[in-house]
């Protein structure tokens, strides 16, 4: 791997500290005015690595690494840094809480579809699924950080202040979980509708759309359909009726861009007293927001969240309801993406959504879901082998691993970005769109995730090469004066230079890439069965020869002989403990044991001949 996540995170933190902490205070906003999403992204640029990577921890002032302190010296000493984070979290909670509770508005991230029109104040206050999702990540990271920091604090006043922040984070976390429940949708497709025709065209891959194909698709989606009636929170009753009365109809499920227009209130005890605004989003899943929600929920279901006990007992019921939706969304989209025995729909770039949009970015999103679904799959190797070629093609199409020329179509996915309509937003003003410019970091993160799943060295090498190319592309787009992101003009010809202010969405996506790369490096190396068998064969031979030596060497023999046999026995135990995860290392230890034992036997034979 050419990517050095530690150095990249330190470089980013150094630039972050210079930009964010001004005269001891926290400076909010960047290229876009502050909103609940961008401000969360800004905090997570610092907090996410600090809670995901042990050597970047900032919650124990006396244990912060020296190079981390040097990178963040603009924020003060080891004690000043966690205090700055506490102050930022308190300010964030104050900025995005009103008299009715936490708010999750999109604000300045919302754009109008028609050039020249303006976003109305009512539209700026729409709750956005991406705000729910990133709030889950922020609240979990903040709770873990604050709890650990509280253990190092002696002043009662400061401990109480931290406790208040934790309580308010819990309130926001609960509200975000309720919001994700109410923005999950099931769209039952009308027969012969454009949406159904697009779905069948996608899965058919040139084959005749006949009875056999539709029956096969219904059969593979049946496990998802069977569980959908269990979703009793947030969904309208007519969904269950349609699924029950029309078993032949196709459907799609996932997350809308906000609370769905037909969403019902959540009546679980944890949601009592929570603001549950009437939704306006069209009840149709949007790939971008579905993947965004899945990413946030991945943090909710992580081992760290369970190990640290970051959820309250009331939040556990919300977690279970979201876990069911998480599993169904993964299963549904993975089934569609890998349907058939020939070419998979995911291999047919670009992906076409049910509302008629096409983009290589949507292919990235589908592969992201497939990768998440393969985390604990026994057949992950075969799936990853087929997906790696698609990722390589996406790197080429997005001009991540290929040179771009002026007016290249591939540039548009980075600048101005992929625009997605927010259907239903026209209720209070002009139609709105959501623009995403993170094609490169999404590609890198997906490739690193796939690399962590596969056990095949060649496949992993290809995936790491795609990820490294995407990271190098990202690094080239850093702003020269600021050191943060994003300036596409550095990588693409004909693009106007960007303002010298940080775009927190891409900067935070870059941090996620580096954290994912660090997780891949921290995991055990790839070990295939052939290597394990080869190492076991050497270890078995060394064990047998050691037993022979112990049988023939007198216990009262030379001290050097007994010492050598003890050392070989210790190495043997070490090799056997490593063979399943690090077979090459185990084989190297076995080689040393075999050499030492052979030298002992040779020395004994030489002594006998001399006598």
């Amino acid at each position: 791997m050419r990517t050095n996540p530690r150095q990249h995170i330190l470089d980013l933190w150094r630039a972050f500290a210079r930009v964010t902490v001004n005269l001891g205070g926290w400076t909010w906003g960047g290229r876009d005015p502050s909103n609940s999403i961008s401000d969360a992204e800004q905090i997570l640029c610092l907090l996410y690595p600090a809670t995901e990577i042990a050597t970047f921890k900032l919650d124990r002032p006396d244990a912060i690494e020296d190079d981390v302190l040097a990178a963040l010296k603009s924020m003060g000493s080891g004690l000043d840094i966690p205090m700055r984070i506490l102050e930022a979290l308190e300010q964030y909670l104050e900025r995005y809480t009103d008299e009715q509770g936490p708010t999750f508005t999109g604000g300045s991230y919302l754009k109008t579809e028609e050039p020249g029109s303006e976003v109305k104040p009512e539209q700026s206050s729409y709750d956005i699924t991406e705000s729910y999702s990133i709030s889950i990540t922020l609240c979990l990271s903040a709770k873990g950080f604050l709890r650990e920091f509280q253990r190092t604090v002696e002043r009662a006043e400061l401990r109480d202040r931290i406790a208040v922040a934790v309580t308010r984070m819990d309130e926001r976390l609960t509200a975000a979980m309720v919001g994700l429940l109410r923005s999950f949708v099931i769209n039952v497709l009308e027969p012969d509708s454009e949406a159904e025709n697009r779905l069948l065209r996608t899965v058919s891959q040139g084959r005749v759309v006949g009875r056999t194909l539709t029956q096969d698709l219904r059969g593979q989606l049946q496990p998802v359909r069977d569980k959908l009636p269990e979703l009793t929170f947030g969904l309208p009753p007519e969904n269950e009726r349609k699924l029950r009365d029309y078993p032949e109809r196709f459907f799609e499920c996932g997350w809308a861009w906000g609370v769905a227009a037909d969403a019902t209130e959540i009546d679980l005890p944890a949601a009592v007293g929570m603001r549950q605004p009437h939704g306006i989003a069209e009840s149709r899943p949007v790939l971008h927001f579905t993947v965004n929600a899945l990413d946030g929920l991945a943090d909710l279901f992580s081992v760290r969240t369970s190990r640290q006990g970051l959820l309250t007992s009331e939040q556990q019921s919300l977690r279970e309801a979201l876990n069911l939706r998480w599993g169904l969304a993964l299963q549904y989209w993975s089934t569609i993406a890998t349907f058939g025995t020939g070419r998979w729909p995911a291999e047919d770039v670009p992906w076409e959504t049910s509302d008629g949009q096409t983009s290589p970015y949507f292919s990235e999103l589908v592969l992201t879901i497939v990768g998440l679904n393969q985390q604990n799959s026994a057949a992950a190797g075969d799936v990853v082998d087929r997906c790696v070629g698609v990722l390589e093609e996406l790197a080429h199409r997005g001009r991540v691993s290929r040179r771009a020329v002026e007016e290249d179509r591939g540039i548009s996915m980075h600048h101005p970005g992929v625009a997605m309509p927010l259907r239903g937003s026209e209720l209070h003003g002009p139609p709105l769109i959501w623009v995403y410019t993170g094609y490169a970091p999404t590609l890198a993160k997906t490739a690193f995730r796939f690399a962590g799943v596969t056990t095949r060295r060649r496949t992993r090498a290809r995936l790491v090469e795609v990820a490294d190319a995407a990271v190098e592309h990202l690094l080239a787009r850093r702003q020269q004066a600021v050191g943060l992101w994003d300036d596409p003009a550095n990588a693409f010809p004909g693009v106007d230079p960007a303002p010298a202010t940080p775009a927190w969405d891409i900067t935070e996506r870059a941090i996620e890439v580096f954290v994912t790369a660090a997780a891949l490096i921290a995991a055990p190396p790839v070990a295939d069965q052939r290597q394990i068998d080869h190492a076991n064969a050497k270890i078995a031979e060394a064990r047998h020869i050691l037993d022979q030596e112990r049988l023939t060497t007198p216990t009262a023999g030379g001290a050097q002989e007994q010492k050598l046999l003890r050392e070989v026995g210790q190495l043997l135990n070490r090799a056997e403990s490593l063979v399943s995860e690090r077979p090459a290392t185990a084989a190297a230890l076995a080689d040393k044991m075999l050499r030492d034992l052979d030298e002992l036997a040779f020395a004994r034979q030489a002594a006998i001949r001399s006598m």
Side-chain angles (χ1 to χ4, degrees):
M1 185 187 297
R2 297 192 301 275
T3 300
N4 183 348
R6 183 173 188 84
Q7 188 59 53
H8 296 329
I9 292 173
L10 290 174
D11 291 343
L12 192 154
W13 274 7
R14 189 174 294 107
F16 174 90
R18 288 196 305 266
V19 169
T20 297
V21 181
N22 184 18
L23 299 177
W26 190 279
T27 303
W28 295 101
R31 190 165 304 171
D32 293 286
S34 289
N35 60 69
S36 69
I37 302 171
S38 69
D39 286 356
E41 291 165 340
Q42 185 175 357
I43 297 176
L44 284 171
C45 286
L46 186 61
L47 200 55
Y48 193 58
T51 53
E52 292 291 327
I53 306 174
T55 55
F56 284 89
K57 289 175 73 68
L58 301 174
D59 46 27
R60 300 185 66 86
D62 58 346
I64 300 176
E65 301 275 350
D66 290 341
D67 57 350
V68 172
L69 283 173
L72 297 176
K73 64 181 181 180
S74 299
M75 297 181 67
S77 65
L79 182 59
D80 293 328
I81 293 171
M83 286 300 300
R84 294 281 181 268
I85 297 174
L86 172 61
E87 291 165 4
L89 292 172
E90 290 174 329
Q91 291 177 30
Y92 180 86
L93 290 168
E94 196 64 34
R95 291 161 74 94
Y96 301 106
T97 306
D98 60 20
E99 63 279 359
Q100 294 181 329
T103 61
F104 301 89
T105 56
S108 59
Y109 274 4
L110 297 172
K111 312 296 181 186
T112 57
E113 188 174 338
E114 304 165 359
S117 56
E118 294 184 358
V119 178
K120 301 300 182 183
E122 296 87 350
Q123 295 175 305
S124 294
S125 64
Y126 290 163
D127 283 2
I128 304 295
T129 298
E130 190 150 332
S131 184
Y132 295 140
S133 175
I134 201 165
S135 288
I136 286 180
T137 301
L138 175 65
C139 293
L140 292 173
S141 297
K143 282 188 67 177
F145 168 83
L146 291 172
R147 282 182 174 181
E148 191 62 32
F149 180 42
Q150 191 178 38
R151 294 189 181 98
T152 70
V153 171
E154 295 182 357
R155 284 190 296 134
E157 179 185 356
L158 182 54
R159 292 174 64 87
D160 292 343
R161 181 177 163 188
I162 295 172
V164 170
V166 170
T167 300
R168 297 188 67 187
M169 279 293 169
D170 262 328
E171 181 185 4
R172 185 170 187 85
L173 176 59
T174 300
M177 295 169 75
V178 170
L180 282 184
L181 284 173
R182 300 185 70 228
S183 54
F184 183 86
V185 295
I186 301 170
N187 181 29
V188 181
L189 306 181
E190 294 293 331
D192 297 322
S193 63
E194 279 299 316
E196 184 188 73
N197 291 337
R198 290 190 185 102
L199 172 66
L200 294 177
R201 185 166 61 246
T202 296
V203 300
S204 67
Q205 289 300 294
R207 290 168 289 168
V208 175
V209 180
R211 184 174 182 180
T212 301
L213 185 143
T214 54
Q215 284 182 340
D216 287 347
L217 182 57
R218 289 191 186 97
Q220 292 198 29
L221 291 176
Q222 194 61 43
V224 179
R225 178 186 284 273
D226 290 342
K227 292 181 180 179
L228 289 177
E230 299 178 25
L231 307 182
T232 56
F233 305 123
L235 293 166
E238 51 265 31
N239 269 346
E240 183 181 356
R241 179 185 58 79
K242 286 182 180 179
L243 291 167
R244 182 184 66 249
D245 295 347
Y246 304 103
E248 76 287 352
R249 289 191 183 180
F250 293 108
F251 61 93
E252 53 184 355
C253 62
W255 276 266
W257 60 265
V259 175
D262 57 3
T264 60
E265 290 195 2
I266 307 299
D267 57 2
L268 291 172
V272 173
M274 286 290 169
R275 174 172 53 189
Q276 299 190 42
H278 182 73
I280 61 167
E282 182 185 38
S283 189
R284 177 200 294 269
V286 181
L287 258 177
H288 171 84
F289 295 99
T290 295
V291 172
N292 197 268
L294 292 173
D295 269 339
L297 291 175
D299 295 319
L300 187 70
F301 307 140
S302 70
V303 174
R304 178 178 67 88
T305 298
S306 300
R307 185 177 64 246
Q308 296 183 359
L310 297 179
L311 298 182
T312 64
S313 57
E314 292 81 8
Q315 290 166 346
Q316 291 295 338
S317 58
L318 298 175
R319 180 191 183 279
E320 292 172 7
L322 286 168
N323 193 28
L324 179 58
R325 287 155 177 78
W326 150 279
L328 292 177
L330 288 180
Q331 191 174 358
Y332 173 82
W333 288 101
S334 295
T335 299
I336 298 297
T338 61
F339 178 78
T341 56
R343 182 176 63 174
W344 285 347
E347 295 173 303
D348 186 12
V349 180
W351 184 272
E352 182 181 18
T353 63
S354 63
D355 62 352
Q357 279 198 296
T358 59
S359 173
Y361 172 58
F362 300 141
S363 295
E364 279 188 351
L365 295 176
V366 169
L367 288 181
T368 297
I369 297 176
V370 173
L372 286 171
N373 197 47
Q374 296 300 312
Q375 294 294 324
N376 299 308
S377 172
D382 296 331
V383 173
V384 175
D385 282 351
R386 294 186 64 168
C387 291
V388 63
V390 185
L391 287 169
E392 290 170 336
E393 181 181 351
L394 291 172
H396 298 165
R397 289 205 180 202
R399 297 301 179 259
V400 170
S401 58
R402 290 288 187 273
R403 180 176 60 87
V405 297
E406 286 197 38
E407 300 183 1
D408 197 318
R409 292 176 60 186
I411 298 176
S412 63
M413 286 178 286
H414 310 271
H415 179 82
V418 180
M420 293 157 281
L422 305 183
R423 292 187 170 86
S425 62
E426 62 277 6
L427 181 65
H428 299 110
L432 301 181
I433 58 174
W434 191 267
V435 180
Y436 185 70
T437 58
Y439 184 92
T442 299
L443 179 67
K445 187 176 178 181
T446 303
F448 277 135
R449 275 180 171 170
F450 270 116
V453 171
T454 185
T455 57
R456 298 171 183 176
R457 288 184 176 275
R458 176 56 184 159
T459 301
R460 178 168 173 157
R462 292 171 62 190
L463 288 165
V464 169
E465 178 60 33
V466 171
D468 280 339
V471 169
E472 290 172 0
H473 171 86
L474 265 179
L475 295 176
R477 285 168 52 174
R478 278 184 301 189
Q479 299 162 308
Q480 300 301 319
V482 179
L484 299 174
W485 280 266
D486 178 32
D487 192 354
N490 293 341
F492 299 119
V495 176
D496 294 334
T501 49
W504 293 119
D505 54 350
I506 301 302
T507 303
E508 195 276 334
R509 293 326 187 270
I511 272 287
E512 289 183 14
V513 170
F514 301 146
V515 171
T516 307
L520 178 63
I521 293 173
V526 173
D528 58 39
Q529 193 58 46
R530 184 175 58 181
Q531 285 182 304
I532 294 173
D533 292 342
H534 181 65
N536 275 325
K538 290 186 174 185
I539 292 172
E541 182 176 340
R543 169 70 73 183
H544 186 74
I545 296 174
L546 176 62
D547 290 341
Q548 288 179 334
E549 290 294 338
R550 285 172 172 168
L551 181 66
T552 58
T553 302
T555 56
Q560 287 298 113
E561 291 181 344
Q562 292 299 328
K563 180 182 178 183
L564 177 62
L565 294 182
R566 286 195 300 271
E567 290 176 352
V568 169
Q570 292 171 353
L571 284 177
L572 190 59
N573 292 335
R574 174 67 175 162
E576 288 177 336
S577 69
L578 293 175
V579 69
S580 61
E581 293 186 351
R582 294 165 55 187
T585 303
L589 293 175
D591 287 338
K592 184 181 186 309
M593 290 184 285
L594 291 169
R595 284 196 304 272
D596 291 345
L597 291 170
D598 186 64
E599 288 175 1
L600 178 62
F602 182 79
R604 184 186 301 110
Q605 292 172 1
I608 293 173
R609 285 196 298 271
S610 66
M611 291 174 61

